[in-house]
Amino acid sequence: MKKRKPPRLSKTSTFAAPRRPKTVEERLLDSQTVGKATLLGLMARKIVEGSMAGLNKSPFSGFAIEFRQHREYAPGDELKHIDWRLFGRTDRFYIKQYEQETNFEATLLLDASESMAYGEGAQNKMEFGRILAAVFAYLVLMDRNRLTFRLFDTDARDVLPPTSNPGTLHNILERMVRQEPERETAIGGILKDLAATLRAKGICIVISDLFDEPDEVLEGLRHLAFLGQEVIVFHVMHPDELEFPFDGTVEFEGFEVPDKLLMQPQRIRESYLETVNAFRNRIQKTCEQNDIGYTLVDTSKSPEEIVAGFLSSRAHATGR
Amino acid sequence: MSFLNAILLGGAAAIAVPILLELLNRNRIKKVRWAAMRFLRSSVEKNRRRLRLEDLLLLLVRCLLLILLAIALARPFLTGDTESKSASRAVTAIIAIDDSYGMQTSDGAETRLAQARQMAEDVLDSLPSGSSAALYLIGTNAEGLVPLPTGDLSLVRQSIRNFSPSDQASAALAVPLRQIIERLGSEEDVNGEIYVITDGQDLVFRRPDQIAALADSVSERFPISLLLLDAVREENLGISRFEPDAELMIGGQTNRFFVEVTNYGQATIDNINVGLALDEDPPSAGGVISQLEPNASELVSIDIRLPEEGEHIITASIPDDRLATDNQMSLAIRVQKQVHILLVEGRGGSLPSEQSLFFLREALQPVPFAERDSFFLQVSTVSASDFQAADLTEGGIVVLSEPLVLDTATTEALADFVAEGGSLLVFPGPDVGAEFLNTTLYAEIGLLPAAVTLPDETTTTQRVIDDQDLNHAATSIFSGGQAGTLASAFFSRSAELQTDPEIEAERGVRPGPISTVASFTDGTPAILERKFGRGRVLLFASTADNTWNDLPLRAVYVPFVHRMMGYLVARQADALNLSVGQAQTLAFPTEALDESATVELVGREDVSYRDVQPVELFGERILLRTPPLTLAGGYLARVDGDPPIERRFAVQQNPIESSQNYLDAADYAPLETSVRLIRDTATDPIEARINSLRSGAELSRGFLIAVLLLLIAESILAHRFSRSR
């Protein structure tokens, strides 16, 4: 397959104040984030491994795998993938990346429930989720993989038909931005419903705060994994939800439920953190047990850091 | 439990304040829309019980704090040990202020008397409304300024502020206390709390057993509290003794005086100037004591030239210090050009040599006849039958020899004469009216020191005077044969001088103590002396002439007679010198009768006294009588006229009051179960102490401590509960 150059992106930082309203691309696809993500690439780890079954040792023998591109050598990369010829020319180490013969299907699930509305500015969970979803949508579509994008809350919203056309990216981004978090969450049910509809094995990326009954959430994730999907969970949480830094007397009013609590938050901080961490650890542990990729997304960090970190560790895991 | 400020219990309603604050603070509550409600709710549920307990505990502590504060401000108390079960019930307070001159000691800022006045006002301030109070001064005796309790406390307060200090010495407290109790006890409806305010000088607490017994006997009706000032020993020099060297003050001559100065303080004092002043003049003579150590005394002699005859005041003085009263002492002296002696002859006889007082007369004026009129001893003679009261001159000497009898008026006048300072010598003899002497002069009036039993006419003795151990001031000069040998005289007859104990036991005020001037070698009295009022009586056991003895024929007779006269003259001047608290009686001439005399304290700058009294006829004598005088110093009694008539006399303080010995806490132990002891301290006001004693144990302090502890507990709990958990 022909190597395609990535489309040129605006070099304007998403944090710079535009003189004109930002486009959805400018808003959600920061050039640095996307650039790094592109270099690292998103591969279907399970497919690669699945295609290894029954084959000889070389993962690439008998396989019509085309060289796709070079990327800079990163510590941990296998030396056998170093392009020595390029080294001879440039005195720098580069790794060869290959294009799979068979593209994968990716399902991108973005939680648009009201709980995702917490946070201000760049730390807003929904906005952060959009950025993550946008980057991964970009990565999938640029490689001509099939992408199914779904926004959900109590139900699936804006289910776009699967597409591998990069030109649909803008539409997808528009849908992301248009959907405001308003309703409650029912992610457990969403995942189960999704599992029932998927035919081909692929990557299923879930971007959510997972604020639902943990048992239902985990059951849904296990269901997907059991069906052979490579499930990747980006667990989005605001630093307030992770650290609970409140003092004084505070009245907490629920997003999704009509609930109010008046208290001195410092008096139950430890107990709250215990509860949150237990929840998170349970999710993480279950994901690990079921070979589900789990990444905690602290919205106080930059999307670039999250994406690069995830893709880099994933690249190490896949041997690429 | 009751409350002194019950109305402040309403402050407990202040527990509404935190509730109000809570309501007001709702506007300051931060509101957060929160996504992770399930986790928050879960944590709250898990900690619900703990949170509730903590909130309840804090609320309880805060409400309790406010309630306890309100109670503390309301001043709760447990019922005390008085009959007054409620602090608000009216009480009667009898305030007795120690006004002995030691209370005028200054600490540099104020005198103890000023502190005592303030303390007395504090007692008034402690009284609930409707109470009454009486006010006494106690020194030697109790003086009622407001003797009966009155509800007019402003009157009592004014009396406290305005009474004049006195120079009295302290009596044992039981004495004035008993006087107060007897005075008030006679009023049926009077019950009250006695508050004695004193500096705690040991003089006051002599015989603590008597004080305790008295307090116990009246504890139900008159419970006694002792309010003790915080007195310490101050640096103080005082004049402890002041006396003339000679007994006869002869005008125009230099006379010597002795002044003893005592250091009552704790530091050695150097270069003490001692001055002598005559009447109202500034000091004209003086001496210096180079150094005086603590608790030591030193005598300095000072010579001063006396003016011509008359009554004068000599005042000794030292520099000012913390106690002004003992920095001077005044002495009244009678400077005489001549002394008048009246001889009352009881024996008949046409020739002077036949009279019993012949030898005495000659001995009194042992000068040539031409010089007798200018001799300092002037003698006049009258027969007993012609003797009248008018013959008596104030301050003179009367010799009564072998009187048969005197009429009643004359006898009474004679007694008054002696009582007011005159001197009387009485000689028995074969013709004396024993009945008159024994029944009238001894038994009834008590003028004589003893009854006279005349010797049997047939009995003769050979008595001699024992001159080996003569202790009396009149005869001590002859002891051991000095200045002549009294033992050289033989007494062939002498009367028995015998006192009757039963009669003596029932004596009144005027007959004073009896002393032996001289005895015979067999121990029987030869000469007895009785102090009678301000005068003295000498009773001889033998005749004035040589009828029963040969003393007039002995060389010692003239000096003996002169010594007797000198002694009596000196004692007459004693009448011009009073102790603080005594009243003065002065004779005035006829022209002063019915006039007003001004009696004024002279020579003192720290205090003043001025009074006007009438000169009146008392019996057959024209006298000025003053009230008891409580200030020491020289006095001038003056009747205006042309020329004015003046008499001078002096009042001396008792130097024992200058000693600064104060009781320790342990010394009060015998009194602790009988009286309440309250000490004046800077941190514990008297008013509060009295209230707590009257109304019982006040509990405010305990409640305030509880409030403080609760405040600390609340702070700790609030901090702990608000920590991150």
Side-chain angles (χ1 to χ4, degrees), chain B residues 493-665:
Chain B
R493 280 194 180 153
S494 55
E496 299 300 323
L497 306 180
Q498 292 171 322
T499 57
D500 187 331
E502 287 185 8
I503 293 175
E504 293 302 323
E506 294 175 3
R507 289 291 185 205
V509 178
R510 285 205 304 186
I514 300 167
S515 57
T516 302
V517 178
S519 303
F520 295 117
T521 52
D522 63 1
T524 57
I527 309 170
L528 290 178
E529 178 195 35
R530 184 197 283 277
K531 197 170 182 310
F532 188 87
R534 292 190 195 144
R536 290 166 195 270
V537 178
L538 294 178
L539 176 62
F540 291 81
S542 192
T543 57
D545 65 356
N546 61 342
T547 304
W548 288 355
N549 62 79
D550 62 359
L551 180 58
L553 306 178
R554 302 292 177 181
V556 72
Y557 184 66
V558 172
F560 170 74
V561 166
H562 281 255
R563 179 64 197 148
M564 291 297 106
M565 297 304 129
Y567 169 76
L568 291 172
V569 167
R571 298 291 75 77
Q572 285 176 356
D574 290 350
L576 297 178
N577 291 285
L578 310 174
S579 295
V580 170
Q582 289 183 313
Q584 178 62 289
T585 301
L586 296 170
F588 274 79
T590 308
E591 53 268 36
L593 179 62
D594 295 330
E595 298 291 333
S596 293
T598 304
V599 180
E600 191 174 9
L601 177 66
V602 296
R604 281 186 72 172
E605 296 176 350
D606 55 324
V607 291
S608 64
Y609 175 86
R610 186 182 172 89
D611 189 26
V612 178
Q613 296 289 337
V615 179
E616 299 175 300
L617 189 65
F618 293 92
E620 295 188 26
R621 297 177 62 79
I622 300 168
L623 302 171
L624 164 70
R625 287 184 170 167
T626 72
L629 300 168
T630 59
L631 294 175
Y635 285 79
L636 172 65
R638 177 189 170 102
V639 174
D640 289 331
D642 187 18
I645 306 169
E646 294 181 348
R647 298 291 311 272
R648 291 177 190 273
F649 62 96
V651 176
Q652 283 101 33
Q653 69 274 19
N654 187 342
I656 196 174
E657 181 67 23
S658 296
S659 65
Q660 299 186 69
N661 296 318
Y662 302 101
L663 299 191
D664 296 326

Side-chain angles (χ1 to χ4, degrees), chain B residues 306-444:
Chain B
L306 296 178
E308 297 301 323
E309 64 178 339
E311 291 168 342
H312 297 280
I313 305 294
I314 304 285
T315 301
S317 62
I318 55 176
D320 289 339
D321 56 23
R322 292 288 172 90
L323 178 58
T325 303
D326 60 3
N327 293 334
Q328 65 177 49
M329 187 176 284
S330 296
L331 197 63
I333 59 173
R334 181 174 288 141
V335 180
Q336 295 171 302
K337 196 173 178 182
Q338 294 178 327
V339 177
H340 294 274
I341 303 169
L342 175 65
L343 303 180
V344 181
E345 179 61 67
R347 186 189 297 174
S350 56
L351 296 175
S353 59
E354 293 174 344
Q355 296 174 346
S356 63
L357 291 174
F358 168 76
F359 288 97
L360 183 64
R361 194 192 191 294
E362 297 303 317
L364 286 172
Q365 289 186 311
V367 293
F369 192 83
E371 296 176 18
R372 286 190 175 184
D373 286 342
S374 61
F375 192 63
F376 74 95
L377 292 179
Q378 292 293 302
V379 181
S380 57
T381 305
V382 65
S383 68
S385 55
D386 295 333
F387 177 45
Q388 293 177 348
D391 296 322
L392 296 168
T393 57
E394 188 270 334
I397 300 174
V398 173
V399 180
L400 192 61
S401 177
E402 298 184 29
L404 185 62
V405 69
L406 298 176
D407 62 58
T408 304
T410 304
T411 304
E412 288 177 358
L414 182 63
D416 289 340
F417 162 79
V418 175
E420 286 152 18
S423 300
L424 176 65
L425 290 84
V426 179
F427 292 92
D431 296 328
V432 72
E435 174 74 15
F436 169 67
L437 289 183
N438 295 334
T439 304
T440 305
L441 294 188
Y442 173 66
E444 290 178 5

Side-chain angles (χ1 to χ4, degrees), chain B residues 235-239 261 269-275 283 287-289 316-328:
Chain B
E235 296 308 319
N236 179 42
L237 294 175
I239 295 175
V261 179
I269 309 294
D270 298 327
N271 299 325
I272 303 163
N273 291 315
V274 183
V288 177
I289 298 173
S317 62
I318 55 176
D320 289 339
D321 56 23
R322 292 288 172 90
L323 178 58
T325 303
D326 60 3
N327 293 334
Q328 65 177 49

Side-chain angles (χ1 to χ4, degrees), chain A residues 114-115 118 211-213 240-241 244 246 249-255 259-263 266-272 275-276 279, chain B residues 22 26 28-44 46-48 50-52 54-55 721-725:
Chain A
E114 198 177 8
S115 63
Y118 186 81
F211 283 174
D212 198 357
E213 285 299 324
D240 287 354
E241 293 164 342
F244 204 59
F246 301 100
T249 303
V250 179
E251 184 180 72
F252 293 95
E253 187 177 351
F255 268 97
D259 193 7
K260 286 186 183 180
L261 286 173
L262 176 65
M263 69 176 70
Q266 63 273 20
R267 296 174 70 185
I268 57 152
R269 177 177 293 122
E270 280 184 25
S271 176
Y272 168 85
T275 305
V276 164
F279 164 73
Chain B
E22 167 71 14
R26 282 186 179 268
R28 302 168 70 176
I29 296 171
K30 188 178 172 186
K31 296 192 181 195
V32 173
R33 290 204 72 212
W34 185 246
M37 254 344 237
R38 66 175 61 246
F39 306 119
L40 197 59
R41 170 62 64 184
S42 168
S43 298
V44 168
K46 265 195 258 180
N47 293 279
R48 179 180 294 281
R50 174 180 65 83
L51 293 173
R52 184 170 290 176
E54 288 176 357
D55 288 342
F721 293 163
S722 66
R723 276 185 329 179
S724 175
R725 287 180 160 200

